[in-house]
Amino acid sequence: MKVINHFFLITLFVLQIVSFSYAQQYVTKNDTENKVVVFGNSKIKITLEYNQRCNISCLEVNGQKVVEGSSGIYSQIKAFGKTYSTLNLDSSPNVDITNRTVMVNGITYGDNELKITENWKFTITNKDILFDTERTFPKSFIVDEASFPSFNFNNINTWEGAFLESGGLAWFYLFRDKQFTYGVHSNYSAFWNSKTGNGLKITVASSGKQIASSFTRSGEDKLAYNVTVSDHEMIPRYDDDTHRRRFIRGKTDVWSSFEISKEKVSQTITLTPFDYHKEYNRGKFVGIDGDRVTSVLNTIARIGVIDAKHFGGNSWHTPYGPICLHEQYIGQLGVAINDQHYLEGYKKCLDFYRDNAIKPDGRVISRWAYENSDAMAGTVSPKGFYEAQWGYLMDSNPDFVTNVADLYDQCGDKVWVAKQQSACEKALDYMLKRDSNGNHLVEVMTNSEKERRGSDWIDIIWASFENAFVNAKLYHALVLWSGIERQLGNLQKANYYSDYAEKLKESFNKSTKQGGFWDEEKQCYIHWRDKDNSIHGNNLVTPVNFMAIAYGICEDKNRTKVILDQIEDQMEKEKLFFWPICMYSYQIGEGNDWQFPFPNYENGDIFLSWGSIAVQAYADYKPELALKYVENVLSQHSKDGLAFQRYGRTKQDGLGDDILSGNSLAVVGLYYAIYGINPLYNRLYLNPHITKELAGTELYYDFRGEKLSIGLDKQQYVITNKQFKISSKTDFGFYAKADELNYFKAKEEHYSIKAKTEKGRTLSLEIIDWDTNHHNWSQSSTSGQTRIEYSIANLKPNSQYTISVDGKKIKGIKSSGEGILLFELIANKKHQSISVL
C-alpha cells in the first residue's frame, strides 16, 4: 500500500512539473471583455486585439517588443481611391481558442463597393508560430497597393537588416530618409540586429501565387514590411518607360497596380525567432576583428543582389541601379558569404542571364539597370539588358563563364552546370574567334585609343585591340571551364580550351617587343596594345598585374616579386590604406578627359573591388602584406560601413553614390587566400597562408548542407564534422558523407584515401607524409574499436605494397590496374601509425 501511495505522489509531482513546463512554454490568455488575446511560446509572443478591429498590437521576440502600438500588424488594400484595412471593421470577429490554436473568424472590412473577409488561424509550436490567413474577395478589381499583411516594427533601428530569399539584404542603414522604399521578389525575410542579437524569420507561402515584399522607412520613423500576394509576378511601378526600379525615394508605391481575382486565397506566414549570434556564428577569430569580418560579409557583400535573378556588384541603392555582367567576382562572393540562399539565388540568376543576356552569336550583353541613361543607343533589350554608353565591354563574356564555374564549385550541382554548358561554350567561342592575327590574344572591338571607347571594367579608359585586362580574364575562364568540360565528358572541348589557354599565357608573357604584354623597362604588364603596335597603360595598372599573378599567368617568381614589391613601395610612400586602380597616371588621351589630372576616378583612385585578387596575389608571396590591407579595410568599415563606390587617392575619403558590394572583396580574399577555404565541386580544398597573428583561428563553415569546423594553426590544418576529422601540415581536400571520409592530397582532383566506417562510428586521420613513395597517416576513433574499409588511390598500377601498423608489417597487397589498394583495419581510441610502402 505504501508503494502505491509513493507511486501516486511521484506521478502527481511529475504531472505538475509537466503542466508547469507546458504553461511556461505555451501561453494563451483571452480577455473577452476588452477583446484582447495573448498567446505564444517562450521565444515569441503575440498580443491580438479584436474589438471592431483585428490586428497584432504587440509582437515580442526573444523578450524584446519589436512591434508595439495601435497599428502593429494588419491587412490593408488601397483601391478605388480608398484604403481598406483590418484596423477598421464593421463588427468584432469571433475568437476561438483550442489547445495551441487561436482562431479568429469573420474579419470583414470594406464598404458597399468592396467587402473583404478574412479568417486568421494561429498555431503555436515550440519554436515558432504559424499565421494562416484565408482571404475572400467578392469580385475582381484593380489594387493600387496591397499589404497581406503589413508589419510595422517599432522604429527603423529595430533591425539592422533582413536577409532575403535570394541571399541579398535589405540594409536599413541605407534608408537614410523617411519614405525610402525597397521592393523585392522574396517570400523570406530574416530580420536581425547584431547589437541585441535578436532575430526573426518571416516566411510566406501561398499555393499558386507570387510573393513580393517591400520595406519602407515610414513618416513616423518606423520600419514597415509589407507582403504582397498576387497571381502574377509583381512589376515595379517606376520608371514609366522601364518598370525596373526596385528602390524609390520619397514614395511607398514601389509596385505597379495589379488585378485581384474573385476568389478565396490561402496563405501561411511562419514567424520563427532566432539568436543572431548563434545562427551566424563564424567561429573563433584570432588576430583579427571577427565581428567586423562578420559585419562586412552580412552587409556590404550582399547588397549587389538587387532582386531575385538580378545579381551584380552595384547595390540596389544606386540611383540608376546598374548590374555589370563584366564582373568575375560575383560568384566568388559566395565563398565568404557562405549562405545557401545566395548560392541557390545566384543559380536562378545565371539561368536568367543565360536565357536573356546572351545573344545568338554568343555575345554576353554587359549591363542591366533601373533606367536607360547608361545605355548605348539602340541596345536595350526587353528585359533591360544593354551595352554601355562607353563601349562594348568585352570582359562580360569570360566573366559569365567564370561566375558559372565558381558557383558550380560551391554548389557541386552537376545537373545545373550541364544546363549552362552550351551558353558557356558560346560565350567563350565568341571571344576565341576574335583573334585576327593568330597570336592567341583576343581583340576587343576597337583598334585605337583614338576611337575613345572603353572595352572592359575600367570603362572610361580607352583600352583597345589587344587588351591584357580582358585576356587575363579570358585565360582564367578557359582554365576553369576546360575542367568542367572534362567532367561533363566533352574531352574535345576540354582540350581545345586548355590548349588555347596555354598559348594565350605564352603570348601574354612575352615582352612588348615580342608582341606580348610584359614591359621590360617598366617591369610590369601593360594594359593594352593598339593595332598599330603602340603600347598603352604601362602605368602599373593593378588589376591587370594582380590577375596575371593570381590566375597563374605569371609563373615567374622574379616577375611576381618585382611587381608586388614596387606596388608596396609606392603604397608606403603615399601611405595608402588600399591599392589604387593604377599606381601611376595614364597618358592624356588614354582615357576620358575628366580623368585628368591624375589622380581621378579610373585614373588612380582606390577601388576596393579588386581586393580578392590582390590579397590572393600577395598571400602566396608575403601573406603579412595581404593581411595588412584586409585589416585596413576592416578599420575603414568601422568608420563608414564601406558604403561608397570608391575612395579618393588624395584624401582617401569615400566617394560615389553607387555603393559596390565589391568593397567586401578583401575580406573574401581573407577567406579564400589567407584562410585558404576553396570549395570545389567534389571537396573542400584547404590551402591556408596563415600568419603567426592568425594562428589558432577556428572557423565554422557550411559546406553542402553540413557545418564544418576548420582549425588553422601554423603548419597544422584541421577539418572536422560530427563524425570525421582530417588534420595535415600541408594543403588538402576534404569530403565526407554518412560513414565515408575522403582525403585528397593537395589540390588533386581524385581522392588519395577513402575510408568507410561502421554506421555512425567516428574516425580521425592525421596525414603525416604523402608523396609518390611514402604514404603515412595515423588513425583513431573516439567510438572505440571500429572496422575501417580503406581504398588508397593514385598508386602505381599492378604494384606490390606493404601495409604496416605502428611499424609492424600487417600484410602485402598488390594494387589494381587503376592503382588502387583495398584493405581493412581496426581503429580504436589510440592513435595508430599506418604506412603503405
Side-chain angles (χ1 to χ4, degrees):
M1 187 66 180
K2 287 182 179 180
V3 173
I4 295 174
N5 285 339
H6 280 304
F7 178 77
F8 174 78
L9 291 173
I10 291 170
T11 303
L12 181 62
F13 179 66
V14 169
L15 287 174
Q16 286 175 334
I17 292 174
V18 171
S19 177
F20 178 76
S21 299
Y22 179 86
Q24 292 293 306
Q25 184 73 12
Y26 303 106
V27 178
T28 305
K29 180 181 178 181
N30 187 10
D31 181 347
T32 56
E33 182 177 350
N34 294 304
K35 298 189 182 300
V36 176
V37 59
V38 179
F39 55 92
N41 57 38
S42 62
K43 298 293 185 182
I44 183 168
K45 188 184 298 183
I46 285 175
T47 300
L48 183 140
E49 297 186 13
Y50 60 99
N51 188 3
Q52 291 197 295
R53 56 165 47 213
C54 193
N55 69 305
I56 296 171
S57 59
C58 183
L59 176 63
E60 188 176 309
V61 178
N62 291 320
Q64 179 190 355
K65 293 179 179 178
V66 297
V67 172
E68 189 175 23
S70 58
S71 55
I73 304 170
Y74 58 94
S75 299
Q76 179 172 283
I77 281 182
K78 293 182 179 180
F80 307 112
K82 304 171 187 176
T83 299
Y84 307 102
S85 85
T86 60
L87 296 176
N88 186 11
L89 308 180
D90 292 337
S91 59
S92 299
N94 299 316
V95 172
D96 184 31
I97 299 173
T98 306
N99 201 0
R100 304 180 191 177
T101 301
V102 176
M103 304 279 294
V104 188
N105 295 318
I107 308 166
T108 302
Y109 56 102
D111 56 18
N112 293 331
E113 193 165 15
L114 179 66
K115 285 279 189 186
I116 301 168
T117 300
E118 295 186 0
N119 297 318
W120 294 1
K121 176 185 175 183
F122 298 91
T123 303
I124 310 163
T125 74
N126 61 357
K127 65 177 183 178
D128 51 31
I129 293 179
L130 275 61
F131 175 11
D132 292 301
T133 302
E134 184 185 80
R135 188 175 294 111
T136 302
F137 301 109
K139 62 180 181 180
S140 298
F141 60 102
I142 300 298
V143 178
D144 295 319
E145 291 184 66
S147 302
F148 297 142
S150 175
F151 291 76
N152 293 270
F153 295 107
N154 285 345
N155 60 69
I156 193 65
N157 297 315
T158 299
W159 308 111
E160 289 180 53
F163 298 132
L164 305 173
E165 178 187 8
S166 57
L169 171 75
W171 192 17
F172 307 128
Y173 172 75
L174 299 180
F175 287 52
R176 291 169 181 167
D177 287 313
K178 296 175 181 179
Q179 304 290 29
F180 275 21
T181 300
Y182 173 43
V184 287
H185 297 89
S186 177
N187 68 354
Y188 168 86
S189 297
F191 294 88
W192 55 271
N193 188 311
S194 66
K195 298 178 183 64
T196 65
N198 206 1
L200 174 65
K201 296 177 184 177
I202 302 179
T203 307
V204 185
S206 183
S207 180
K209 300 296 182 181
Q210 299 290 319
I211 309 297
S213 302
S214 67
F215 307 86
T216 298
R217 181 173 181 170
S218 72
E220 299 78 34
D221 249 356
K222 292 178 179 291
L223 171 63
Y225 163 57
N226 297 318
V227 176
T228 301
V229 181
S230 58
D231 289 333
H232 305 286
E233 183 177 291
M234 293 297 292
I235 298 172
R237 188 179 296 275
Y238 304 100
D239 296 342
D240 291 340
D241 60 337
T242 63
H243 297 286
R244 297 195 292 266
R245 188 174 297 278
R246 269 66 170 180
F247 185 71
I248 58 177
R249 294 165 167 84
K251 296 181 282 246
T252 63
D253 56 342
V254 67
W255 302 118
S256 295
S257 301
F258 66 102
E259 184 176 7
I260 283 182
S261 302
K262 177 183 178 180
E263 62 178 340
K264 183 182 291 185
V265 177
S266 297
Q267 76 178 69
T268 298
I269 294 176
T270 305
L271 305 172
T272 308
F274 67 94
D275 182 330
Y276 171 80
H277 296 306
K278 182 182 292 186
E279 188 106 352
Y280 293 93
N281 179 12
R282 290 178 170 267
K284 182 184 76 171
F285 290 87
V286 175
I288 202 165
D289 189 337
D291 289 340
R292 194 65 57 193
V293 169
T294 299
S295 180
V296 168
L297 297 175
N298 282 352
T299 56
I300 200 77
R302 295 173 178 259
I303 61 171
V305 183
I306 289 179
D307 194 0
K309 300 183 289 188
H310 292 77
F311 284 51
N314 297 70
S315 77
W316 44 261
H317 181 269
T318 303
Y320 74 102
I323 291 172
C324 296
L325 277 73
H326 52 102
E327 291 175 325
Q328 83 280 26
Y329 41 71
I330 307 304
Q332 193 186 47
L333 285 166
V335 171
I337 290 173
N338 195 215
D339 182 350
Q340 190 65 27
H341 286 284
Y342 186 92
L343 302 186
E344 293 300 321
Y346 197 35
K347 276 202 268 186
K348 294 174 184 176
C349 171
L350 288 172
D351 288 346
F352 181 71
Y353 291 173
R354 175 199 63 202
D355 298 338
N356 297 283
I358 302 180
K359 300 175 77 171
D361 64 355
R363 169 63 185 151
V364 178
I365 305 172
S366 63
R367 288 187 179 175
W368 178 98
Y370 292 158
E371 59 186 54
N372 297 332
S373 61
D374 179 51
M376 185 187 297
T379 66
V380 183
S381 76
K383 296 290 187 180
F385 295 97
Y386 64 87
E387 299 289 3
Q389 61 179 315
W390 309 112
Y392 290 94
L393 309 180
M394 301 299 288
D395 42 348
S396 57
N397 272 61
D399 289 355
F400 175 80
V401 178
T402 293
N403 282 317
V404 170
D406 280 348
L407 183 58
Y408 169 58
D409 270 337
Q410 290 171 70
C411 68
D413 189 342
K414 194 172 182 179
V415 173
W416 172 78
V417 82
K419 294 176 182 178
Q420 290 283 355
Q421 185 175 15
S422 176
C424 288
E425 290 173 351
K426 284 171 58 178
L428 290 175
D429 293 348
Y430 176 89
M431 295 297 290
L432 301 189
K433 292 174 184 175
R434 301 193 59 80
D435 176 23
S436 64
N437 55 18
N439 67 352
H440 294 89
L441 298 175
V442 301
E443 300 135 13
V444 299
M445 295 289 191
T446 52
N447 294 324
S448 168
E449 90 282 357
K450 295 175 183 177
E451 297 177 50
R452 298 177 62 81
R453 307 294 286 166
S455 63
D456 62 42
W457 191 92
I458 313 176
D459 55 1
I460 53 175
I461 296 298
W462 311 135
S464 307
F465 199 59
E466 290 176 347
N467 180 337
F469 189 106
V470 171
N471 275 278
K473 286 185 164 187
L474 177 60
Y475 172 82
H476 186 53
L478 287 168
V479 170
L480 293 176
W481 193 255
S482 65
I484 294 175
E485 287 284 356
R486 202 170 302 279
Q487 293 174 44
L488 295 176
N490 192 338
L491 298 184
Q492 183 180 4
K493 276 288 190 182
N495 292 333
Y496 171 54
Y497 292 140
S498 61
D499 289 348
Y500 197 106
E502 283 303 307
K503 292 171 183 175
L504 188 161
K505 177 164 72 172
E506 182 180 353
S507 293
F508 194 107
N509 279 309
K510 289 180 180 179
S511 72
T512 53
K513 294 176 182 178
Q514 297 172 316
F517 293 130
W518 179 252
D519 189 315
E520 292 179 327
E521 179 186 352
K522 299 289 187 179
Q523 292 286 284
C524 67
Y525 293 98
I526 65 167
H527 192 166
W528 79 92
R529 173 198 304 275
D530 275 354
K531 192 171 185 179
D532 65 6
N533 214 33
S534 57
I535 302 303
H536 300 273
N538 60 0
N539 51 321
L540 222 178
V541 180
T542 54
V544 170
N545 286 272
F546 286 146
M547 283 192 287
I549 296 168
Y551 293 161
I553 298 171
C554 177
E555 295 181 312
D556 185 322
K557 293 188 182 299
N558 290 328
R559 281 189 184 181
T560 296
K561 181 179 188 304
V562 73
I563 291 169
L564 298 180
D565 283 353
Q566 63 178 311
I567 290 174
E568 180 59 15
D569 288 345
Q570 190 63 27
M571 294 292 288
E572 281 295 309
K573 287 178 184 177
E574 296 186 51
K575 302 300 179 187
L576 300 177
F577 86 95
F578 200 77
W579 300 284
I581 201 164
C582 54
M583 300 311 297
Y584 312 106
S585 180
Y586 285 96
Q587 298 298 309
I588 292 176
E590 290 183 337
N592 204 318
D593 294 343
W594 65 271
Q595 302 300 281
F596 303 90
F598 174 86
N600 189 25
Y601 195 52
E602 292 180 355
N603 186 25
D605 273 352
I606 297 169
F607 286 83
L608 275 59
S609 291
W610 297 99
S612 180
I613 59 162
V615 168
Q616 188 177 348
Y618 273 102
D620 198 37
Y621 173 54
K622 291 184 177 180
E624 66 275 9
L625 284 179
L627 181 61
K628 167 185 167 182
Y629 291 102
V630 172
E631 290 176 325
N632 287 351
V633 169
L634 294 175
S635 176
Q636 192 65 40
H637 177 266
S638 69
K639 301 171 186 175
D640 59 23
L642 304 178
F644 297 98
Q645 180 206 48
R646 67 191 191 283
Y647 289 83
R649 176 79 160 261
T650 305
K651 298 180 180 178
Q652 301 192 61
D653 53 337
L655 301 171
D657 55 9
D658 47 342
I659 302 167
L660 304 184
S661 63
N663 291 348
S664 67
L665 279 162
V667 181
V668 175
L670 169 71
Y671 262 72
Y672 185 79
I674 298 177
Y675 293 149
I677 297 174
N678 292 229
L680 296 174
Y681 75 98
N682 66 341
R683 64 204 183 280
L684 182 68
Y685 173 54
L686 188 62
N687 182 29
H689 297 86
I690 294 296
T691 66
K692 62 181 181 180
E693 294 87 355
L694 300 178
T697 294
E698 184 177 347
L699 302 175
Y700 301 141
Y701 195 80
D702 291 322
F703 181 69
R704 309 285 157 79
E706 183 174 41
K707 189 174 288 293
L708 303 179
S709 175
I710 299 174
L712 301 170
D713 258 320
K714 289 291 286 182
Q715 303 303 309
Q716 188 65 37
Y717 316 130
V718 180
I719 300 180
T720 309
N721 70 3
K722 292 179 179 179
Q723 187 177 7
F724 297 118
K725 175 181 177 181
I726 294 178
S727 59
S728 175
K729 295 178 180 179
T730 60
D731 57 319
F732 69 94
F734 174 101
Y735 180 72
K737 58 184 181 180
D739 306 319
E740 180 182 298
L741 174 63
N742 293 267
Y743 160 76
F744 298 77
K745 177 194 171 187
K747 203 175 181 179
E748 288 182 358
E749 193 170 359
H750 301 288
Y751 73 85
S752 292
I753 300 177
K754 178 183 288 186
K756 295 184 178 180
T757 68
E758 298 172 80
K759 184 175 178 61
R761 311 288 279 184
T762 65
L763 178 64
S764 295
L765 301 180
E766 181 181 356
I767 309 303
I768 299 169
D769 188 15
W770 203 278
D771 57 31
T772 304
N773 298 313
H774 300 87
H775 310 91
N776 303 313
W777 72 98
S778 74
Q779 68 175 19
S780 63
S781 174
T782 58
S783 300
Q785 194 170 70
T786 303
R787 182 171 54 87
I788 310 297
E789 297 178 6
Y790 277 110
S791 172
I792 310 300
N794 305 319
L795 302 175
K796 294 177 183 178
N798 302 310
S799 299
Q800 196 70 29
Y801 285 88
T802 299
I803 301 166
S804 300
V805 177
D806 290 335
K808 182 180 179 181
K809 294 180 180 180
I810 300 299
K811 66 174 72 173
I813 189 171
K814 187 177 181 181
S815 64
S816 71
E818 292 76 33
I820 295 174
L821 285 182
L822 300 176
F823 58 91
E824 293 185 4
L825 293 176
I826 300 297
N828 54 48
K829 293 183 179 182
K830 179 185 175 183
H831 288 270
Q832 298 170 300
S833 178
I834 316 296
S835 68
V836 174
L837 299 173

